[in-house]
Amino acid sequence: MTALAAQPWLAVAVPLAVALLVVVAGRALGAGVAWLAMVAPASLLATGIALLGGPHSGNALSIPWLVQGDTSIRVGVLGDGLAALMLVVVGVVALMVMMFSIGYMADDPGYTRYFALLALFSAAMAGLVLAADLVALLVAWELVGACSYLLIGFWYRKPSAAAAAIKAFLVTHVGDAGMLLGIALFFVATGDVSLAGLRSAPAALGTGLTTVVALLLLLGAIGKSAQFPLHFWLPDAMEGPTPVSALIHAATMVAAGVFLIARLEPLFQASATASGVVLAVGAFTALMAATIAIAQSDIKKVLAYSTISQLGFMFAALGVGAWQAAIFHLVTHASFKALLFLGAGSVIHGTGSQELSDMGGLAKKMPLTAVTWIAGALALAGIPPLAGFFSKDVVVAAVLRGSPLAGLTLLLASLLTAFYIARATRLAFFGTYRGVAHPHESRWMMTGPLTVLAVGAVFLGAAGPAIERLLLTEPEPIELGVAVVAVLLAVAGGVFAWWRYAGGPVPAEAAPVGLWAALKGGYGYDGAIRRWVVRPVMAFAGGAYELGDRATVDGAAEGIGRLARRLGGLLALLQNGDAQWYAALIGAATVLLVAAALWAGR
Amino acid sequence: MTGMPVTLLSAALFGLGLYGTLTRRDLVAVLACVEIMLGAASLQLVAFARAANALGNGEALALVLVVLAAAEAAVGLGLVLATVKRTGKSRVEELTEVSG
């Protein structure tokens, strides 16, 4: 353990080796390959626990990289409290997801590929949280993005999955381009990219440049965490296997944006503009995504928009500088949202459908799934004493102090949160079964992880003070007023949904009109993007292709060829096969040459 | 310049031969015109030898040329005969196999 604490880079190296080993030995091991792959998250978990016990000041390893003359970038690992906490979260969720996947993916022909990618993702995620500088962080950041792409498109023969993978990759990279620019600007201005030097950076940068750098880096976080206006890739990402959604698109990778801003806290602290943007983006996204979630008919889409909304809560907290609260919510959210996703996976496994209208009454047929799901749902809704209540209370209280308007927005979003999750619960687990399959409880390999995560969703709230102390801040007591209002709102939303969906799906929702249709379609954001961004870009690309490639490059190449042929044709006219013509030319040439020689030798 | 009239005659003969070589369409006629040019050259050699008071050398060279011309005519006619035998064509404009 102490060895791990001293060498935290092992948390990156071991999963990487495991990923390679899974690829190499996959065929030989057969189904047992999953157990080998589980070594990867286990090493994250072990390192995280070791670091929790060790000194949190950060025992950084630092090696020069990309040396150019006397400039170099120092990359290394930084095992502080935040990194340790993230390692534990990622390790536990990844372990549970892998275990769940053994059952869920049992019959899939891509079994080995799946576990290799999950192991690789563990390595990348460990690299992301342990990175001691922005460059190493960016490398890991891109690597988790690549894993996400590969896993969304895991069933690549399905056109919608392939399209969703490309969409996710492109949209997040809009943000990543900004992030790259931000890091470059930061390096040019300060000559340093280490996170340790961040505290002194704002003074060196000046207010204006600090804001620009912070906003560019924020763009990367917005893309990764699916915040408005780059939120629309996450619902499509549900094309991937459900356990992947639980791990990458709910608990860990999408939370990386929150982690990034928490890491860059000195930068955002120094720029009121950048913090304001974070707050506005977070609060707006939290409410917007929650409104969309209430109208979704696909159980995974409900959870996807719920994730966007919850990440909005965290961003709002980051915007008022309460990054410890955001991380606390990140931890509890990782637990209950991974639980909800795996629960949805279990339901999908049992019923063969993702539509809420095909479910109903599953509590009797899948009791353990139902109980754990309800624990996750109550945690998400923020009902005490579950984990979500505590973390959401800290977040909402902090935001209310910073900006009452944003705080009220979050309270409204909490109301909607309770509504949509109660709606999904009512439609899936209660009433009578409406589907055609014969649902059955999943095997212990799947219900086991559900149980573990449910324990987290129920009890993690108690870990709040410990987490805040780990992040070097004093824990705050529950704000009773905020808590009472939030809980009352949540109960109101939940009870209303329970009453409205008591008789199964509301028929009007099947063929939505007006506002409900707008909500179900995510306000037509996809269409707008297609119309105002994708189409102009495609038109521009088409034009650039015609003009730049076809006309200029191909034109030049083909033109040179055509010119040579033309010249050749002209010269060929001289060679007409008439011997007398040749003789005449020789005669003329002789006369010319002799004349020239005479004239020159005059 | 005592040799001037002879030189002019030689030049005229050469021009005539060249013109014939380039314009006559029958292979044998072309060959005959080539002989005329060769004759012009022989004449000029003798004229130059005389003008330079180097009697003997020029005449010797002219004699060699006559022998050469005879040999050339034999080879040339042989080629013409072979061509006619092979292709059945004896006119220049018909023999354009190397046209580009």
Side-chain angles (χ1 to χ4, degrees):
Chain A
M1 276 307 198
T2 44
L4 277 176
Q7 310 291 343
W9 57 271
L10 280 172
V12 185
V14 172
L16 206 58
V18 168
L20 284 175
L21 212 60
V22 167
V23 173
V24 174
R27 211 167 286 276
L29 284 171
V33 82
W35 298 101
L36 172 62
M38 279 161 88
V39 173
S43 70
L44 263 68
L45 182 59
T47 311
I49 291 172
L51 283 173
L52 282 180
H56 304 316
S57 49
N59 31 2
L61 168 85
S62 179
I63 32 178
W65 191 44
L66 297 175
V67 182
Q68 310 265 325
D70 40 359
T71 319
S72 72
I73 290 165
R74 301 197 75 83
V75 292
V77 293
L78 174 67
D80 63 353
L82 178 56
L85 185 63
M86 289 295 289
L87 278 179
V88 171
V89 170
V90 175
V92 170
V93 176
L95 258 182
M96 291 305 115
V97 163
M98 280 195 184
M99 194 169 163
F100 184 89
S101 301
I102 293 176
Y104 193 82
M105 302 295 286
D107 306 322
D108 199 280
Y111 194 74
T112 308
R113 180 162 55 97
Y114 178 81
F115 280 100
L117 284 172
L118 284 189
L120 181 63
F121 175 77
S122 305
M125 204 63 207
L128 202 161
V129 300
L130 283 169
D133 58 280
L134 289 170
V135 172
L137 194 146
L138 182 71
V139 171
W141 182 274
E142 294 299 337
L143 200 52
V144 289
C147 289
S148 158
Y149 164 79
L150 290 168
L151 283 163
I152 295 170
F154 183 73
W155 289 310
Y156 55 87
R157 282 181 214 281
K158 201 166 130 198
S160 59
I166 292 169
K167 181 173 177 183
F169 199 70
L170 287 181
V171 175
T172 53
H173 274 75
V174 171
D176 291 355
M179 187 173 163
L180 185 61
L181 283 178
I183 293 173
L185 195 58
F186 187 79
F187 182 70
V188 169
T190 66
D192 184 27
V193 286
S194 72
L195 294 169
L198 217 55
R199 210 154 285 281
S200 59
L205 285 169
T207 318
L209 209 51
T210 304
T211 303
V212 173
V213 169
L215 286 177
L216 283 170
L217 291 168
L218 170 64
L219 205 56
I222 284 178
K224 205 58 129 196
S225 288
Q227 297 296 290
F228 180 84
L230 297 177
H231 64 277
F232 55 103
W233 65 271
L234 191 58
D236 288 50
M238 297 301 128
E239 288 287 345
T242 308
V244 167
S245 307
L247 174 61
I248 300 183
H249 305 118
T252 57
M253 187 193 82
V254 291
V258 177
F259 169 79
L260 176 70
I261 296 181
R263 269 281 193 240
L264 299 174
E265 174 254 353
L267 218 51
F268 284 87
Q269 197 119 68
S271 167
T273 316
S275 296
V277 172
V278 177
L279 177 64
V281 164
F284 177 74
T285 309
L287 183 61
M288 177 207 64
T291 58
I292 298 173
I294 63 174
Q296 298 304 309
S297 60
D298 178 328
I299 190 167
K300 284 184 76 180
K301 288 274 165 72
V302 174
L303 294 177
Y305 279 109
S306 162
T307 302
I308 298 174
S309 168
Q310 292 298 307
L311 289 166
F313 275 78
M314 297 175 212
F315 266 67
L318 291 167
V320 295
W323 67 275
Q324 291 91 348
I327 295 293
F328 179 27
H329 196 51
L330 187 160
V331 173
T332 59
H333 175 256
S335 165
F336 63 71
K337 190 52 69 64
L339 165 63
L340 287 172
F341 263 110
L342 291 185
S346 178
V347 167
I348 293 165
H349 197 68
T351 62
S353 171
Q354 297 187 193
E355 291 297 317
L356 285 168
S357 55
D358 291 339
M359 300 172 187
L362 295 177
K364 284 195 205 76
K365 304 195 160 104
M366 311 174 78
L368 198 52
T369 303
V371 168
T372 53
W373 168 283
I374 289 165
L378 291 174
L380 172 62
I383 304 295
L386 282 87
F389 163 73
F390 291 96
S391 57
K392 196 185 274 183
D393 180 70
V394 182
V395 167
V396 173
V399 174
L400 266 175
R401 268 197 303 278
S403 157
L405 178 64
L408 291 176
T409 312
L410 291 191
L411 280 176
L412 186 55
S414 301
L415 171 77
L416 294 170
T417 305
F419 179 85
Y420 68 66
I421 199 64
R423 170 177 176 267
T425 309
R426 188 80 167 111
L427 289 177
F429 291 98
F430 296 92
T432 51
Y433 182 62
R434 299 176 294 273
V436 287
H438 297 283
H440 53 87
E441 183 59 286
S442 303
R443 291 189 303 145
W444 69 271
M445 288 297 293
M446 288 163 77
T447 53
L450 290 178
T451 315
V452 172
L453 288 170
V455 169
V458 174
F459 294 110
L460 259 182
I467 288 174
E468 300 204 6
R469 243 179 251 117
L470 182 69
L471 301 175
L472 308 175
T473 184
E474 272 311 300
E476 287 169 21
I478 296 283
E479 295 227 5
L480 209 59
V482 178
V484 167
V485 173
V487 170
L488 283 179
L489 283 172
V491 169
V495 167
F496 178 63
W498 206 260
W499 165 79
R500 182 167 162 82
Y501 295 99
V506 175
E509 288 177 13
V513 287
L515 180 62
W516 197 263
L519 292 180
K520 191 168 182 184
Y523 299 111
Y525 195 79
D526 263 323
I529 287 287
R530 200 168 296 129
R531 189 180 158 86
W532 299 110
V533 179
V534 176
R535 246 191 253 152
V537 168
M538 293 296 271
F540 174 75
Y545 170 70
E546 282 301 329
L547 191 75
D549 195 52
R550 290 289 310 139
T552 310
V553 177
D554 286 5
E558 285 169 13
I560 287 169
R562 218 174 293 136
L563 186 70
R565 287 182 68 92
R566 287 262 169 80
L567 277 176
L570 278 176
L571 287 172
L573 288 180
L574 289 175
Q575 192 172 354
N576 60 2
D578 184 351
Q580 285 172 325
W581 167 244
Y582 300 160
L585 287 178
I586 291 169
T590 311
V591 170
L592 274 175
L593 286 174
V594 169
L598 288 176
W599 184 77
R602 162 170 55 103
Chain B
M1 277 304 247
T2 48
M4 200 56 176
V6 187
T7 302
L8 283 178
L9 176 64
S10 166
L13 271 177
F14 187 85
L16 205 66
L18 184 62
Y19 178 76
T21 309
L22 298 184
T23 53
R24 297 302 296 249
R25 291 312 218 178
D26 191 87
L27 278 175
V28 181
V30 170
L31 211 57
C33 290
V34 170
E35 292 300 326
I36 292 175
M37 285 198 288
L38 215 53
S42 301
L43 183 61
Q44 189 61 55
L45 269 173
V46 177
F48 278 161
R50 198 181 164 78
N53 277 324
L55 272 176
N57 286 351
E59 282 83 348
L61 213 53
L63 276 176
V64 172
L65 249 180
V66 169
V67 176
L68 210 73
E72 182 253 304
V75 173
L77 275 172
L79 280 173
V80 170
L81 270 177
T83 306
V84 172
K85 251 189 180 165
R86 256 179 82 87
T87 65
K89 296 166 183 166
S90 65
R91 297 191 64 79
V92 177
E93 69 266 28
E94 291 169 335
L95 296 163
T96 57
E97 232 173 280
V98 291
S99 165

